[in-house]
Amino acid sequence: MFVTSAFAQESAPSADTSHAATGADTHSGTSVPAEAHGAFPPFDPATFPSQLLWLAITFGLFYLFLKRVVVPRVGGIIDVRNDRISQDLDQAAKLKGEADAAVAAYEQELAEAKSNANSIGQQAADAAKAEAEAARKKIEASLDEKLGEAEARISSIKANAMKEVGSIAEDTASAIVEALVGGKASKAEVAAAVKSVAR
């Protein structure tokens, strides 16, 4: 509804007086003092000292709670995780050292087998000069057989060692994942990750 300014001025005093009259009738028993409509208590300068006191007390209690309860627990958890990680890394380094030593021993054994095969071959060549062609062929066949057996033995030992290194690496990787992330990884995922790193 559209109201003109003239109409609003004419009707405003009568509405105010009627409202005042009805308001006086309905609220005659209750009166609100003028001082009650003062400032909001947190913004009242008269209450600042008590507010600052309670702020300091609350902050102090919160600081003590953090210092005595929260920080030691978090520090303990971090120390335990660091200890587990360092133990796992130490164990992995130890196992890697053992695996490297085993590979070095296998390589040395292979070199000895090759040197033995060479010396036997030289002896066979010397004997072949003196003996007939059939005797020379027989010695060469026995040398080839011994060399094949030595290589097969070395390759089987090396394969067994590499299998153990792979399983140890998978166990160690699984333990590290559990310690860092807190969840368990499937054996297939761990095996795939170890194989991708080993290549």
Side-chain angles (χ1 to χ4, degrees):
M1 173 164 114
F2 181 75
V3 179
T4 63
S5 60
F7 178 74
Q9 288 176 356
E10 289 175 4
S11 63
S14 63
D16 288 344
T17 56
S18 66
H19 182 284
T22 57
D25 292 340
T26 57
H27 296 295
S28 62
T30 60
S31 63
V32 177
E35 297 85 22
H37 296 292
F40 184 56
F43 300 130
D44 186 7
T47 62
F48 281 174
S50 65
Q51 290 178 29
L52 292 175
L53 173 69
W54 282 108
L55 175 67
I57 291 171
T58 305
F59 181 77
L61 290 175
F62 184 66
Y63 175 77
L64 286 175
F65 175 73
L66 285 176
K67 183 179 178 184
R68 303 247 171 126
V69 177
V70 175
V71 172
R73 286 185 184 176
V74 171
I77 291 171
I78 290 172
D79 289 342
V80 167
R81 286 187 178 180
N82 285 338
D83 290 343
R84 284 183 187 168
I85 290 170
S86 64
Q87 287 174 357
D88 289 342
L89 290 176
D90 291 342
Q91 185 178 7
K94 178 183 173 188
L95 293 174
K96 184 182 181 298
E98 291 175 359
D100 290 342
V103 169
Y106 300 142
E107 288 176 355
Q108 182 179 3
E109 197 173 315
L110 178 62
E112 289 175 1
K114 284 183 180 180
S115 68
N116 288 338
N118 288 335
S119 66
I120 293 173
Q122 186 62 39
Q123 290 174 4
D126 292 340
K129 291 176 184 176
E131 295 178 1
E133 184 70 20
R136 185 178 62 83
K137 288 182 180 181
K138 184 178 179 183
I139 291 173
E140 285 180 356
S142 70
L143 287 175
D144 290 338
E145 182 180 340
K146 287 181 182 179
L147 183 61
E149 289 174 1
E151 287 178 353
R153 191 175 108 214
I154 289 169
S155 64
S156 68
I157 291 172
K158 191 172 183 179
N160 288 338
M162 294 309 286
K163 284 180 186 177
E164 291 177 8
V165 168
S167 65
I168 289 169
E170 288 174 11
D171 293 340
T172 304
S174 177
I176 289 173
V177 166
E178 287 180 18
L180 291 177
V181 178
K184 288 188 176 181
S186 69
K187 288 195 174 205
E189 292 173 347
V190 172
V194 168
K195 285 180 183 175
S196 68
V197 171
R199 292 178 187 169

